[in-house]
Amino acid sequence: MKEDEIRKKRIENEEKQEENSQINRLLDRKIEECGQLYASERIHNERVISYFQKQEEFSFFEDIVEDARIEERRFFDEMNEGQEIITKEKRQLEDYSEVLYEKELQVLREEEDANGQNGDW
């Protein structure tokens, strides 16, 4: 690869890394927001359960609350999987960046050697 091609690929890779970081920050914010919503919902559901504890409708509301807990766990499991994917992609992009950096250095060394600028005076 030529130096210009390597630089172009490094720039593209840096843009992908920035996009990855933005997605990760957005996902973190959304997880935090949803966590707060789920916490509010849990508090509300506990109040409902307490209110209906000694009434016939109790089992109905207990089932609804349990379904909400299951959905909450499922949501956070999926978000954790998403974060793992983003983290894996981040590592791959960082590794590729290092490879491109090494290639660029190699091309520069080869150019210096070809021009007789290898440091031997």
Side-chain angles (χ1 to χ4, degrees), residues 93-109:
L93 291 169
E94 288 171 346
D95 290 346
Y96 188 56
S97 183
E98 288 180 31
V99 167
L100 290 172
Y101 178 74
E102 290 298 323
K103 284 184 179 183
E104 188 175 19
L105 285 177
Q106 181 181 359
V107 167
L108 289 173
R109 286 186 202 118

Side-chain angles (χ1 to χ4, degrees), residues 3-29:
E3 187 177 353
D4 291 339
E5 292 172 356
I6 294 171
R7 282 194 184 121
K8 182 181 175 185
K9 287 187 180 201
R10 281 185 66 195
I11 289 170
E12 289 171 2
N13 189 56
E14 289 170 2
E15 289 171 353
K16 287 179 184 178
Q17 286 177 327
E18 179 58 33
E19 181 181 335
N20 179 282
S21 294
Q22 289 174 357
I23 290 170
N24 194 32
R25 286 190 299 271
L26 179 61
L27 183 59
D28 287 342
R29 272 196 303 266

Side-chain angles (χ1 to χ4, degrees), residues 76-95:
F76 283 111
D77 287 346
E78 290 174 2
M79 291 303 102
N80 287 333
E81 287 177 20
Q83 284 182 314
E84 289 173 9
I85 291 168
I86 290 171
T87 300
K88 181 179 177 183
E89 184 176 334
K90 178 183 177 186
R91 278 189 299 243
Q92 290 173 341
L93 291 169
E94 288 171 346
D95 290 346

Side-chain angles (χ1 to χ4, degrees), residues 61-77:
F61 287 106
E62 190 175 40
D63 290 344
I64 291 173
V65 169
E66 184 58 29
D67 289 346
R69 288 180 186 143
I70 291 169
E71 286 302 314
E72 179 181 351
R73 280 192 296 271
R74 184 177 299 135
F75 170 79
F76 283 111
D77 287 346

Side-chain angles (χ1 to χ4, degrees), residues 31-48:
I31 289 172
E32 179 64 29
E33 289 172 8
C34 288
Q36 291 173 4
L37 289 173
Y38 278 124
S40 295
E41 182 180 19
R42 278 192 307 273
I43 292 168
H44 174 73
N45 288 345
E46 292 302 322
R47 289 179 182 157
V48 169

